[in-house]
């Protein structure tokens, strides 16, 4: 009897240990383990999106990639979700004048994102969460999300959008500095990189170029023009990262991780969005029959 119990305990230990060893990084999974990972993740996948672009003179071109991936991996470690490898097909026309910018055509970034989602769905994922690290994607992703309604999809797409409270900003600034602009490569982004990947951060170079808003379109209010970012920040640097530090970065990262973990759990349990999508597409097939 004792031997039987011991054997059961040993088997459970092996099984639990094996499950815990299952990587949440898609690129690390074997094909058989991938099948297990899809099930363990409740058919949920994170797609962290970044870009290759200048971040002042002190941060690497892949800053947005590093941060989107770091956030996703930290969250997946707490709430198991499969994380897609580095994804850098993004909207970045506004930085084409700066060295190292990889700017794909608008048509290509749309097609690659759509086909990536299609392939993830074909491989078993029913819920896909975009974690975007690149501000230049915001308008693109909003429209892309709306355009998903153009036809019925075998998956539901979610876009994680964390909030940074004023209280958190004040705590970060108490550890670093007040950054009047802090738009791109500034105090907060540099602090997060100091926490996530300090070996590629060069804060001693942060003052080599200006991150001050040039306000070159200040005379034209109440309008939008595509050159707006270049008009404000031609150095592709907005803010001051010179006094950033890892402790402040951890505060920011931890806040976003907490929000993402909670969001993943809600998405796994969510039945409302898929149900509404199904209802919408049924009604869209014959709008004259939609109840008025």
């Amino acid at each position: 009897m004792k031997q039987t119990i011991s054997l059961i305990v040993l088997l459970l230990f092996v099984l639990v240990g094996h499950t815990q060893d299952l990587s949440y990084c898609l690129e690390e999974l074997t094909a058989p383990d991938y099948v297990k990972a899809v099930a363990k993740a409740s058919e949920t996948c994170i797609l962290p999106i970044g870009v290759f672009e200048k971040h002042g003179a002190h941060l690497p071109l892949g800053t947005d990639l590093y941060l989107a991936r770091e956030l996703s991996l930290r969250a997946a470690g707490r709430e198991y979700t499969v994380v897609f490898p580095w994804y850098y097909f993004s909207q970045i026309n506004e930085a084409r004048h700066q060295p190292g910018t990889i700017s794909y055509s608008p048509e290509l970034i749309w097609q690659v994102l759509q086909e990536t989602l299609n392939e993830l769905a074909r491989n078993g994922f029913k819920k896909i969460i975009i974690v975007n690290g690149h501000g230049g994607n915001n308008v693109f992703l909003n429209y892309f999300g709306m355009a998903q309604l153009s036809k019925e999809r075998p998956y539901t797409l979610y876009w994680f959008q964390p909030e940074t409270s004023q209280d958190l900003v004040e705590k970060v600034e108490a550890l670093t500095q007040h950054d009047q602009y802090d738009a791109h490569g500034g105090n907060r982004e540099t602090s997060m990189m100091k926490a996530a990947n300090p070996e590629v951060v060069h804060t001693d170079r942060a003052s080599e170029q200006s991150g001050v808003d040039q306000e070159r379109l200040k005379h034209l209010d109440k309008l939008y023009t595509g050159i707006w970012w270049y008009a404000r920040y031609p150095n592709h640097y907005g803010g001051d990262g010179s006094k950033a530090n890892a402790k402040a970065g951890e505060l920011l990262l931890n806040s976003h991780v907490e929000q993402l973990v909670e969001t993943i759990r809600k998405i796994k349990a969510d039945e409302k969005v898929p149900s509404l999508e199904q209802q919408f597409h049924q009604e869209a097939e014959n709008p004259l029959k939609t109840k008025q």
Side-chain angles (χ1 to χ4, degrees), residues 55-209:
H55 283 74
H58 60 295
L59 291 179
L61 298 170
T63 290
D64 296 343
L65 290 163
Y66 279 116
L67 292 179
R69 179 85 166 161
E70 180 73 11
L71 172 58
S72 301
L73 293 177
R74 289 191 184 195
R78 292 177 50 185
E79 179 62 36
Y80 188 89
T81 317
V82 176
V83 179
F84 195 83
W86 283 21
Y87 185 100
Y88 50 85
F89 304 96
S90 291
Q91 190 296 119
I92 188 57
N93 288 302
E94 63 272 24
R96 292 178 68 242
H97 64 298
Q98 293 289 354
T101 301
I102 304 299
S103 177
Y104 297 102
S105 69
E107 297 81 8
L108 182 62
I109 64 170
W110 187 288
Q111 291 170 9
V112 172
L113 181 54
Q114 186 61 69
E115 292 204 15
T116 299
L117 299 181
N118 293 347
E119 282 297 284
L120 287 172
R122 188 177 69 83
N123 280 279
F125 290 109
K126 298 296 186 287
K127 294 177 177 180
I128 303 171
I129 308 167
I130 287 179
V131 173
N132 177 43
H134 173 50
N137 276 338
N138 290 345
V139 175
F140 163 68
L141 288 174
N142 271 339
Y143 180 53
F144 184 89
M146 292 296 295
Q148 293 294 288
L149 297 176
S150 63
K151 61 180 289 187
E152 196 164 2
R153 314 281 176 177
Y155 59 85
T156 298
L157 182 63
Y158 304 83
W159 175 14
F160 172 61
Q161 296 179 311
E163 297 179 350
T164 303
S165 68
Q166 183 58 36
D167 179 60
L168 180 57
V169 171
E170 290 173 1
K171 289 179 180 178
V172 168
E173 290 184 349
L175 293 169
T176 54
Q177 64 175 335
H178 172 66
D179 188 344
Q180 181 179 352
Y181 302 105
D182 207 5
H184 180 73
N187 186 44
R188 280 182 281 176
E189 194 164 29
T190 305
S191 290
M192 286 191 287
M193 280 297 291
K194 290 279 282 186
N197 300 90
E199 67 279 2
V200 294
V201 180
H202 309 279
T203 46
D204 56 308
R205 306 178 194 173
S207 300
E208 290 182 3
Q209 298 178 8

Side-chain angles (χ1 to χ4, degrees), residues 229-248:
W229 179 262
Y230 177 80
R232 294 183 63 181
Y233 301 105
N235 289 329
H236 213 61
Y237 175 33
D240 180 4
S242 63
K243 292 183 173 59
N245 65 56
K247 189 172 181 180

Side-chain angles (χ1 to χ4, degrees), residues 15-32:
L15 289 171
V16 170
H18 181 71
T19 302
Q20 289 176 337
D21 290 340
L22 192 63
S23 176
Y24 40 75
C25 298
L26 189 151
E27 70 274 15
E28 295 178 359
L29 295 165
T30 64

